[in-house]
Amino acid sequence: MKAVESWALFEGIGYIDPKFVEEAKSPLKKEPAHPLWLRKAGALAAAFAAVLAMLFGINGISPAFAEGLPLVGEVFRHLNSLGANAPTYGGLVQAVGASGENGQYKVTVDQAYCDGEYIFFTLILSAKDAELLKMTQLNTLESSEGGAPGWDIQINGVSPGYTGLPVFQRKGRCFESSLLQVTLPKPVGNGAQLQVDITLGNLLGVPEEAGDKGSQLLSSQPVSLSFGLIANTAYTQKGLAQAAVDGLALHGWNSSPSKFSVTLAFPYFGPAGVAAKARAEDGTDLGEDLRESGDLEGNGYQMGDNAVQTCSFIGPPDNAEKVIVTVYAHQSSEQVFGEFTIDLKGNQASITNDYQKQGLQHMSIAAYAAAEKAKQETAGGPPPPTGSAPPNA
């Protein structure tokens, strides 16, 4: 994992809500540390704490100067999350600042971006009611038909394909949300204008001394807000580069600031399909396959059929030239079916073996699938369960 310099935290969006700056003047009660949504652990968290301390100190000396500082641009960073490298793409993440409020709290959309397939955004909740400041975490529920209003979101008047629920962690005198990922009802092109309408209904809180009490209902008065967003697909790439090794074939790739994906074909050996990891050539970890499409069960494959699987990872950082995808039977396996190094600039793919530097060995997926098929025929049973180990692993 690459180190993150504290000065890099100031890169990004030039906006700070003046109210947050004013609130920073007040004494802050020490709170347990919670990781910012999409913030990398360790060095990044420490750097962010140092930046906040510096910001509040500057505010006490010169509020006007503090109000002019750019908003923290690294709020999107968090290992193994879509969009983790989005801040490295110039002009992609946008400051928003739209807000809505009731008598107990105010919610502000902090930062957002759309890459044509997803919308990502963060929220800041400012408490008006002192009861909220007794909580370490706030959350809400999905809206239910005929029930109390909960979390609801519309994109251009249409419900999205997927949206997560916000979870707010206490940060001094306000609460910061987890990163919210919204799958658009359908992909849009570059420059498409999107209207995002949000309703936050029942608000629940977890007290500092929760014990067995769990969450408490704090507010049932809905808060609504809207903001506009322009899709930016300028960084999206699609390649048809192909390569194959011992029955494992790469049939193309897609790359965006949010996600990198490859399409693989291989002889079917069970519903789990293959496991995979990816990294940029400079060592940036793009994580394991996110399994967005689930496993292969339900596709009607029989043992030995040619199966097709799409593997998705975190999008590479801007200016990444190559991505390396390593394919296994399962994540704990020490045997590798194949490794593809994909040249994003030249749209070429090659077979590599960098995994051997880690002491891993190559195994033919064709031989593995044949062995699994023979085992099934001998046992007379169904395909092996998800995550089964390869022979001699």
Side-chain angles (χ1 to χ4, degrees):
M1 183 184 300
K2 296 188 297 184
V4 178
E5 300 291 343
S6 59
W7 54 261
L9 297 172
F10 285 111
E11 293 182 342
I13 304 163
Y15 173 85
I16 288 184
D17 190 326
K19 182 172 181 178
F20 301 154
V21 178
E22 289 298 317
E23 289 177 343
K25 299 176 183 178
S26 304
L28 300 181
K29 180 181 177 181
K30 291 184 178 180
E31 297 292 338
H34 298 285
L36 247 185
W37 179 57
L38 292 190
R39 181 183 303 141
K40 287 187 176 179
L44 181 55
F48 185 79
V51 170
L52 285 184
M54 181 174 66
L55 175 59
F56 293 153
I58 292 173
N59 183 71
I61 299 172
S62 176
F65 177 74
E67 290 178 7
L69 290 174
L71 185 66
V72 174
E74 293 292 317
V75 70
F76 280 82
R77 284 198 169 277
H78 180 74
L79 192 62
N80 288 331
S81 293
L82 290 179
N85 292 311
T88 68
Y89 292 80
L92 182 66
V93 180
Q94 304 172 33
V96 180
S99 62
E101 58 188 306
N102 61 19
Q104 294 173 281
Y105 63 89
K106 176 181 178 180
V107 176
T108 301
V109 180
D110 185 18
Q111 307 175 54
Y113 84 90
C114 174
D115 66 358
E117 184 177 0
Y118 304 96
I119 290 176
F120 293 91
F121 63 95
T122 57
L123 300 171
I124 292 179
L125 187 150
S126 304
K128 299 179 181 180
D129 185 344
E131 286 298 311
L132 273 65
L133 294 177
K134 298 178 181 179
M135 307 294 153
T136 59
Q137 179 179 296
L138 302 174
N139 55 71
T140 188
L141 304 172
E142 292 181 344
S143 294
S144 58
E145 187 174 352
W151 173 255
D152 186 65
I153 185 168
Q154 301 278 310
I155 310 297
N156 290 344
V158 179
S159 296
Y162 166 84
T163 178
L165 291 171
V167 176
F168 298 89
Q169 299 290 350
R170 174 75 180 273
K171 297 293 178 183
R173 298 177 63 87
C174 65
F175 294 82
E176 297 169 343
S177 80
S178 55
L179 181 62
L180 293 163
Q181 172 191 334
V182 178
T183 303
L184 296 179
K186 60 180 181 179
V188 298
N190 194 46
Q193 297 187 358
L194 303 169
Q195 175 73 17
V196 184
D197 300 306
I198 298 171
T199 299
L200 182 63
N202 283 349
L203 187 68
L204 309 175
V206 179
E208 292 180 341
E209 303 296 335
D212 297 329
K213 298 179 182 178
S215 298
Q216 303 176 11
L217 178 63
L218 300 174
S219 176
S220 58
Q221 182 182 0
V223 170
S224 297
L225 58 94
S226 300
F227 66 96
L229 199 59
I230 298 177
N232 185 343
T233 65
Y235 298 106
T236 300
Q237 303 177 67
K238 183 175 183 179
L240 299 176
Q242 299 187 15
V245 53
D246 291 340
L248 176 66
L250 170 70
H251 283 180
W253 56 273
N254 289 274
S255 182
S256 75
S258 302
K259 182 174 69 177
F260 181 83
S261 62
V262 294
T263 301
L264 303 174
F266 51 88
Y268 180 77
F269 56 83
V274 297
K277 299 178 182 178
R279 70 184 189 278
E281 189 180 33
D282 67 357
T284 301
D285 188 0
L286 306 182
E288 301 176 0
D289 179 13
L290 298 169
R291 293 281 177 171
E292 288 190 301
S293 302
D295 58 28
L296 301 179
E297 191 172 13
N299 290 339
Y301 292 128
Q302 300 295 319
M303 296 294 278
D305 286 352
N306 189 50
V308 176
Q309 179 178 333
T310 297
C311 299
S312 302
F313 313 93
I314 299 168
D318 190 19
N319 296 323
E321 295 186 357
K322 295 181 179 180
V323 172
I324 301 166
V325 178
T326 310
V327 184
Y328 310 77
H330 57 92
Q331 293 295 359
S332 60
S333 175
E334 294 184 357
Q335 294 174 309
V336 175
F337 289 148
E339 181 179 89
F340 302 103
T341 295
I342 301 162
D343 184 340
L344 306 182
K345 306 298 182 183
N347 188 25
Q348 296 180 341
S350 59
I351 305 300
T352 52
N353 56 8
D354 285 356
Y355 58 86
Q356 292 181 353
K357 299 175 183 177
Q358 305 171 40
L360 304 178
Q361 300 297 319
H362 172 70
M363 179 178 185
S364 165
I365 195 171
Y368 179 83
E372 291 298 323
K373 182 178 180 181
K375 285 166 56 177
Q376 180 189 346
E377 291 172 346
T378 301
T386 298
S388 60
N392 303 318

